[in-house]
Amino acid sequence: MTVTGIAPPVPEPYVDRRRIAEHLGLSVATVDRLVADGMPSVTFGLRTRRFKRSPVDAWLNARAR
């Protein structure tokens, strides 16, 4: 806690393909297709791809318009 008694915000965690697919109600294969279309994600190393939910949600909402 800070001096004001308000805890600092917790950063949004990264989630893997399976969890972002569950969050969106989609298959992992569909998530892979959306990544190919530009869905925001971060790659760690050569093969580890992770997502933050809020940028993914914003990207999908922008595409729906």
Side-chain angles (χ1 to χ4, degrees):
M1 283 221 178
T2 64
V3 177
T4 62
I6 300 172
V10 176
E12 183 178 2
Y14 285 99
V15 296
D16 62 14
R17 290 177 0 187
R18 182 181 56 81
R19 293 233 172 134
I20 201 69
E22 289 172 0
H23 169 70
L24 299 172
L26 302 172
S27 69
V28 172
T30 300
V31 168
D32 291 340
R33 284 192 292 276
L34 291 172
V35 167
D37 285 344
M39 185 166 76
S41 64
V42 175
T43 304
F44 298 100
L46 296 176
R47 298 176 55 168
T48 304
R49 184 174 301 277
R50 295 291 183 260
F51 306 85
K52 286 193 175 186
R53 289 180 178 149
S54 59
V56 168
D57 290 343
W59 183 80
L60 287 171
N61 286 335
R63 281 177 50 114
R65 293 180 188 166

